[in-house]
Amino acid sequence: MGIALAEDEVANRGPVRRALDLLYLGAGYAAGAFLVAIFAIMMIMSVGRQFTLNIPAGDDFASWCMAAMAFLGLAHTFKRGEMIRVGLLLERLHGRTKQIAEVVALGIATAFVLYFTRHAVQMTYDSWRFNDVAQGVVALPLWIPQLGFAGGLVILSIALIDEMVNVIGGNRPSYEKGSPDETPEEFVERISQGGGG
């Protein structure tokens, strides 16, 4: 139901907004696919022992899938409001003061993520340029598994910039759940139903 609702929301927007939302949704689906791949690798390696079936460098593939899953899922998680945020100060602010504080918080987060993104992309490029290969059983070029890490950070950077533009434009942050007038009881009810904080 949640995925169908997200796809309906994407269909009712302008072309740029639709493209960005599809990018975040696609990254979320890719993260889910890597999660399924981790499960498949681990099950084959566990059950395969009984039948002398083994995946060469299975641990390496599982760890690469885990890194790709974690980083590709960041932007989708952030935009859906499911990422853990500490909003003790922001929750107490209202109006223009809250908007300015949100922009400052998003600006700091964007600066840090852009810094890490630059180095992740540089590391992936260097791995490709120097033809680095994995040290395990399978000599896979390292830039291939590093694409998930670097790509996830690039998409998260885009999501943070997108959100900062949204908040500067006077809109409510997309990651903010619940109404501003929500009572503590409504908050607890929303959280108990998986509505995020």
Side-chain angles (χ1 to χ4, degrees):
M1 166 128 179
I3 292 173
L5 184 61
E7 289 171 351
D8 288 343
E9 289 172 3
V10 169
N12 296 330
R13 309 229 175 142
V16 173
R17 173 83 272 138
R18 197 173 16 219
L20 288 171
D21 288 344
L22 284 173
L23 175 67
Y24 309 141
L25 188 62
Y29 277 129
F34 279 110
L35 181 62
V36 171
I38 294 167
F39 171 76
I41 291 168
M42 297 310 289
M43 289 306 294
I44 290 170
M45 289 177 62
S46 297
V47 176
R49 286 190 192 123
Q50 312 304 318
F51 306 101
T52 64
L53 176 67
N54 190 19
I55 298 175
D59 291 338
D60 291 340
F61 284 109
S63 63
W64 293 329
C65 286
M66 192 173 299
M69 176 204 65
F71 284 93
L72 286 171
L74 287 174
H76 180 68
T77 304
F78 169 70
K79 291 296 280 185
R80 301 290 293 173
E82 303 297 333
M83 193 173 279
I84 296 172
R85 295 184 320 121
V86 180
L88 296 173
L89 175 63
L90 291 175
E91 290 171 358
R92 301 197 188 300
L93 301 176
H94 300 287
R96 183 82 173 136
T97 309
K98 182 174 182 172
Q99 180 188 13
I100 292 169
E102 288 277 5
V103 170
V104 168
L106 286 166
I108 292 169
T110 302
F112 275 108
V113 171
L114 284 171
Y115 174 80
F116 290 121
T117 301
R118 183 224 177 271
H119 288 287
V121 169
Q122 184 66 51
M123 180 184 71
T124 305
Y125 174 69
D126 287 344
S127 292
W128 173 77
R129 191 167 52 127
F130 297 126
N131 219 10
D132 283 346
V133 294
Q135 300 298 313
V137 177
V138 177
L140 183 75
L142 276 179
W143 65 268
I144 295 172
Q146 289 171 351
L147 279 176
F149 164 59
L153 284 172
V154 167
I155 296 169
L156 179 61
S157 298
I158 293 168
L160 283 163
I161 293 167
D162 174 26
E163 197 58 48
M164 192 158 51
V165 168
N166 178 49
V167 173
I168 288 172
N171 300 314
R172 185 174 171 200
S174 62
Y175 52 77
E176 195 174 84
K177 300 242 179 170
S179 69
D181 303 323
E182 185 176 52
T183 66
E185 292 80 18
E186 291 170 335
F187 173 77
V188 169
E189 179 66 26
R190 181 169 51 79
I191 295 298
S192 69
Q193 294 178 358

